[in-house]
Amino acid sequence: FEEFIQGVRDPLSERRLRLVQMAFSKLDKDGSGVVDAEEVASLYDASKHPEVLAGRTTPKQVMATFLDTFDVGGVHDGKVTL
């Protein structure tokens, strides 16, 4: 969860924290407390990303870049934890 919170940036008001928790719950389809690439891909169609549509990158690269924004502390595992 800390990775997710840091990904949307501190400090968060109570209201904003609740919204982040709701968003995380939507992404964490299996309730494991870990959001992996498959869960994100099931909700986000990277093929519609402007850079993909312009032919400058691939959906796989867009997804990897997105997931990298949540990797903190030097650990790049492609997962966002709760």
Side-chain angles (χ1 to χ4, degrees):
F1 187 72
E2 190 170 297
E3 289 177 345
F4 192 73
I5 294 294
Q6 288 179 359
V8 294
R9 304 292 183 249
D10 289 326
L12 298 175
S13 67
E14 275 298 314
R15 180 177 182 273
R16 196 163 171 216
L17 180 59
R18 284 192 307 272
L19 289 172
V20 168
Q21 290 169 331
M22 287 172 40
F24 189 90
S25 293
K26 279 264 195 214
L27 289 169
D28 185 18
K29 289 187 168 255
D30 63 6
S32 66
V34 177
V35 175
D36 59 29
E38 290 80 24
E39 288 171 310
V40 173
S42 74
L43 295 169
Y44 177 63
D45 183 0
S47 70
K48 304 295 185 203
H49 189 279
E51 293 294 307
V52 174
L53 293 174
R56 291 188 284 265
T57 191
T58 67
K60 186 175 181 177
Q61 290 168 318
V62 167
M63 192 63 67
T65 299
F66 175 74
L67 291 173
D68 279 349
T69 64
F70 295 102
D71 284 327
V72 296
V75 177
H76 294 277
D77 58 4
K79 297 177 182 178
V80 182
T81 58
L82 181 62

